[in-house]
Amino acid sequence: MKRLLGFVGALLLWLLLFWSLNIWVIAAGVGVAAVATALLGSIAPDGLERVLCLRRVGYFLLYLPYFLYYCVRANFDVMLRVVHPDVPIRPGIVKLPTTLKSEMAKTFLANSITLTPGTLTLDIDGQDMYVHWINIDTDDVKKRTAEICGRFEPMLRRIFE
Amino acid sequence: MLETICYWLVGIGLAFDFFGCLGLVRLPDVYNRAQAATKCVTLGTCMILFGVALGAFGGVSVAMGVKALLCAMFILLTSPVGAHAICRGAYLSGVPLWEGSAEDAFKERAERIREEEIEELGEESGVQREKAQAS
């Protein structure tokens, strides 16, 4: 099932890149997609097919603008720090617990954290995340978790779990 | 009208890219620099590509627009992963944090990973030695 999904995804990508429905383009696409799936199918994450459910896709579409807002905010945040004459940073690596279970959800959480204000995921170890934070403003673990993971966790749980 | 919007998008994207590069010069260590590089450059490049896509849909060719959007999607997916890999690799190979850093929670875990890797390497070389002796 997950290999089939990978195959369809690869074929779709091929057709979008070529933007033509010529019979030879489709034939070559089927071949390339089959090879790619055969080589890489084993590393596809488990539970990929669950994402196909309509409710999850809906939440994902909701998640995109929400994420984009934080992404733009992150950019202005970094921009201000960079052009400020004193470069106001207080960096460090912090350890945060996450409540998400599935690998896909954790991957998306890590990527979202990397693209949002002042944080960069270094490593994930089970339920612990190691995050480089450019401006540590509190010593309380709960506040930190709420500030960094809390924004995305509820929505990602609805999408992937 | 559409063309004006495209040029504005490309211009703003370039500005973000510029600030990302400025951060690369002004911030103190690898990890902070990677932050500036990923955030600003990702959004800046995506905005440039989005502007190109909008312009292409408006006139030049739909195929070009679709390709630009696909590129934007791939950058959005891969650049945080790349930053993560670079920073983790830098830490494990011993690049120090900036001296003004407030906290370092990754130290123990990094030492554990290094020990595991050394053990694995030791096992591999042991296996090779056995093979060499057998032959």
Side-chain angles (χ1 to χ4, degrees):
Chain A
M1 181 63 201
K2 99 186 169 189
R3 274 170 196 267
L4 182 72
L5 207 64
F7 176 79
V8 173
L11 185 59
L12 203 68
L13 198 65
W14 173 276
L15 290 178
L16 281 175
L17 276 174
F18 271 82
W19 202 251
S20 106
L21 285 174
N22 185 313
I23 182 77
W24 292 110
V25 170
I26 295 176
V30 169
V32 170
V35 170
T37 320
L39 287 178
L40 302 173
S42 55
I43 61 167
D46 292 318
L48 198 62
E49 59 271 11
R50 269 190 299 177
V51 182
L52 278 183
C53 158
L54 206 62
R55 191 171 54 89
R56 292 174 196 271
V57 174
Y59 272 118
F60 187 72
L61 291 180
L62 265 178
Y63 178 71
L64 277 180
Y66 183 73
F67 164 73
L68 211 65
Y69 162 72
Y70 279 109
C71 195
V72 172
R73 234 184 72 180
N75 275 276
F76 282 105
D77 181 76
V78 171
M79 211 163 89
L80 283 179
R81 284 184 204 287
V82 167
V83 295
H84 194 286
D86 301 332
V87 191
I89 55 172
R90 187 167 177 264
I93 300 175
V94 296
K95 184 176 170 180
L96 301 166
T98 170
T99 52
L100 295 174
K101 293 279 181 316
S102 78
E103 292 292 317
M104 281 278 276
K106 276 193 256 179
T107 311
F108 264 79
L109 181 65
N111 278 2
S112 301
I113 284 176
T114 297
L115 287 175
T116 50
T119 47
L120 192 153
T121 316
L122 275 177
D123 203 358
I124 301 180
D125 178 23
Q127 295 303 112
D128 290 328
M129 305 183 67
Y130 296 88
V131 174
H132 182 264
W133 198 355
I134 206 168
N135 194 32
I136 300 175
D137 53 7
T138 163
D139 283 334
D140 186 18
V141 177
K142 268 190 187 148
K143 267 189 204 158
R144 286 175 174 179
T145 316
E147 195 170 327
I148 296 182
C149 306
R151 297 166 181 151
F152 303 115
E153 274 185 351
M155 291 196 90
L156 285 174
R157 190 170 303 124
R158 288 198 185 101
I159 297 171
F160 292 108
E161 289 182 358
Chain B
M1 181 61 200
L2 189 69
E3 208 164 296
T4 323
I5 295 174
C6 296
Y7 281 127
W8 269 102
L9 275 174
V10 173
I12 296 170
L14 277 172
F16 276 132
D17 274 2
F18 170 75
F19 282 114
C21 297
L22 198 65
L24 216 54
V25 179
R26 288 206 66 191
L27 291 172
D29 67 2
V30 182
Y31 313 99
N32 292 310
R33 285 177 177 169
Q35 292 229 10
T38 34
K39 287 184 196 39
C40 289
V41 174
T42 309
L43 190 74
T45 313
C46 282
M47 277 179 91
I48 293 174
L49 285 167
F50 194 66
V52 169
L54 213 61
F57 284 135
V60 190
S61 76
V62 181
M64 192 171 129
V66 172
K67 275 178 197 133
L69 285 183
L70 283 176
C71 289
M73 190 186 87
F74 279 126
I75 287 178
L76 207 62
L77 282 177
T78 51
S79 95
V81 181
H84 146 76
I86 288 170
C87 285
R88 189 171 182 271
Y91 198 104
L92 289 181
S93 59
V95 179
L97 287 175
W98 180 49
E99 58 265 26
S101 299
E103 210 178 317
D104 185 3
F106 193 52
K107 210 170 178 179
E108 290 163 18
R109 161 103 171 127
E111 270 165 20
R112 217 161 53 233
I113 295 172
R114 278 193 211 119
E115 275 166 19
E116 275 167 23
E117 273 173 8
I118 289 170
E119 269 170 29
E120 270 172 33
L121 279 176
E123 274 168 25
E124 269 172 33
S125 60
V127 169
Q128 278 168 0
R129 226 176 293 137
E130 278 166 22
K131 271 183 191 167
Q133 279 171 359
S135 67

